[in-house]
Amino acid sequence: MLSEAFVTLVTNDGYALGALVLAQSIRQVGTKRNLVVMISKHLSNSLRKILEINFDEVILVDEFDSNDTEHLSLLSRPELGITFTKINCWLLEQYSKCVFLDSDCVVLRQIDDLFEREELSAVPDAGWPDCFNSGLFVYRPSKETFRKLIKYASEKDASFDGGDQGLLNEFFSSWGSSDISRHLPFVYNVTSNAFYSYLPAVTRFRNDIRIIHFAGTLKPWHLTYNPKDEQLSGNLNGQNDIQRELLLSWWRIMYQRVWPQLSKLNQGESIGS
Amino acid sequence: MLSEAFVTLVTNDGYALGALVLAQSIRQVGTKRNLVVMISKHLSNSLRKILEINFDEVILVDEFDSNDTEHLSLLSRPELGITFTKINCWLLEQYSKCVFLDSDCVVLRQIDDLFEREELSAVPDAGWPDCFNSGLFVYRPSKETFRKLIKYASEKDASFDGGDQGLLNEFFSSWGSSDISRHLPFVYNVTSNAFYSYLPAVTRFRNDIRIIHFAGTLKPWHLTYNPKDEQLSGNLNGQNDIQRELLLSWWRIMYQRVWPQLSKLNQGESIGS
Ligand SMILES: O=c1ccn([C@@H]2O[C@H](COP(=O)(O)OP(=O)(O)O)[C@@H](O)[C@H]2O)c(=O)[nH]1
Ligand SMILES: O=c1ccn([C@@H]2O[C@H](COP(=O)(O)OP(=O)(O)O)[C@@H](O)[C@H]2O)c(=O)[nH]1
Ligand SMILES: [Mn+2]
Ligand SMILES: [Mn+2]
């Protein structure tokens, strides 16, 4: 039997910190699956080495970019063209089934039951819920699908947001209306906008949350953490108490499980900026 | 055969303006169904009379209130306890099937195909999309269901948000995971948070939008409209171009189709405050 894996993507050092916390958080709750990280050649050597310790496989992939400044400006996220690189995950045919996770996710509870789902399973996007959020999806690696995606991606207006989410939603366009089992519960990919839009639901379902996804411009590694008093500093405007608590959980894993590895390699350098 | 109806609710004069625009917008796109408005005794007599002209049925109902200040404070909407009154809509057994619509909705395109759906069909909430947004739902009137809802509503913590949405989601709790045909496309109930959270999708699907739902604290009737230059004034902070355009569409209907009726009754009074 082919095995199964969690897969993430890292094209630069900031997101590498995210991937390390993600890997540690998955190990902490326990998994029987492999952890795979796809990296691009722009990653520094030292972080690549640490990824090799924390993941079962580190795979070098080509960078793709949508170069679609027009649509990306609607998102106010010019940097997200590079997320087209994500579709390399369909090349991992050594696995029969995978779960892709953005590297800005942290896992709070076991998620191995995701492998009972079929391609393409994902969580509705809090924002336009007929689309899925592409920060987490269950898929079957297949060079055939990869080729179709590449062909699709090269067409004009392939992605309505200039990033991978617009692309994958156009490609898997029946997701919204065809099969409820492909709709994963929102607790598998809780994004920050839920906290602004519907706080009572966050509170109601808080103990069921499996994955927090720090989607949006503020990433946990943009902040600074003081381990002495467990205080965060940086641009925390508009973050409510639950969000601060979740950012702290990310930083606790960072400090306790990732930082010791980093400091062995980079004595004296600071993290979190 | 029993007939079918669109149903809305109005407990005070502001929402009555909403209901009038809603009714006109449905007539404008065309419908074969009845229009019904449930009102409470607090509605002024003059507005009641105008509702009688615009709706096929005006039905006096009892006000229910959750009186749940604790949960409502999480929503920052202390006024929404009264929305428990909505469940009176299950009493309308003269109809075999109904579509409930909040009175802060405006219909842009035909929606009669909603009657092909079964109870309980609704749109995912942009915020916590495992919940449905209770601003629009397809249901079957039934005194039996009404009694169960009333019983349920009287229990402690019946609603996790203190309003009808938290109540109905707890009651119809299998909605999220059991049947894709009960998940209506988001275009049937596009709420304002979509405009902040995922503008590229709004832009992509804009021409498919059937219903705009002015959910949240800013209601169109809180603004003032100048018909000479088609300018809106009032608290428009943070409203982007598409949102202003949609608020204007509401006001055009108000000015062209509702205002002439109002001004006959209340010569000289101002509207929109
Ligand atoms: O410069 C970048 C941008 C993104 N990513 C990867 O692509 C994912 C999607 O981007 P992001 O999480 O920033 O998008 P958001 O979830 O905020 O929409 C990230 O989690 C990373 O795995 C990356 O490696 N380098
Ligand atoms: O004081 C009130 C509050 C609400 N409503 C009715 O209940 C619905 C739900 O309330 P609202 O639309 O304000 O909630 P939101 O959609 O903003 O969450 C309204 O559209 C009205 O039909 C009402 O009649 N009187
Ligand atoms: Mn992300
Ligand atoms: Mn409403």
Side-chain angles (χ1 to χ4, degrees), chain B residues 15 77 80 86 101-105 133-135 189 191 213-216 219 221:
Chain B
Y15 286 95
R77 301 286 301 279
L80 289 190
K86 217 184 253 191
L101 286 156
D102 268 11
S103 64
D104 55 349
C105 290
N133 184 286
S134 63
N189 181 357
T191 44
H213 177 189
F214 298 98
K219 303 300 185 198
W221 55 88

Side-chain angles (χ1 to χ4, degrees), chain A residues 8-12 15 77 80 82-83 86 102-104 213 215-216 219:
Chain A
T8 190
L9 166 68
V10 160
T11 69
N12 60 43
Y15 286 95
R77 301 286 301 278
L80 289 190
I82 193 81
T83 63
K86 214 183 253 191
D102 268 11
S103 64
D104 56 347
H213 177 189
K219 304 300 185 196

Side-chain angles (χ1 to χ4, degrees), chain A residues 191-239:
Chain A
T191 44
S192 335
N193 37 359
F195 295 86
Y196 307 110
S197 310
Y198 202 21
L199 196 52
V202 177
T203 309
R204 165 72 178 81
F205 299 110
R206 184 168 175 184
N207 293 330
D208 302 323
I209 296 178
R210 310 277 189 114
I211 295 174
I212 291 290
H213 177 189
F214 296 99
T217 43
L218 177 74
K219 304 300 185 196
W221 55 88
H222 296 156
L223 301 171
T224 311
Y225 172 73
N226 184 339
K228 292 209 188 90
D229 57 3
E230 296 214 302
Q231 289 296 306
L232 292 174
S233 47
N235 186 2
L236 285 158
N237 292 344
Q239 304 289 310

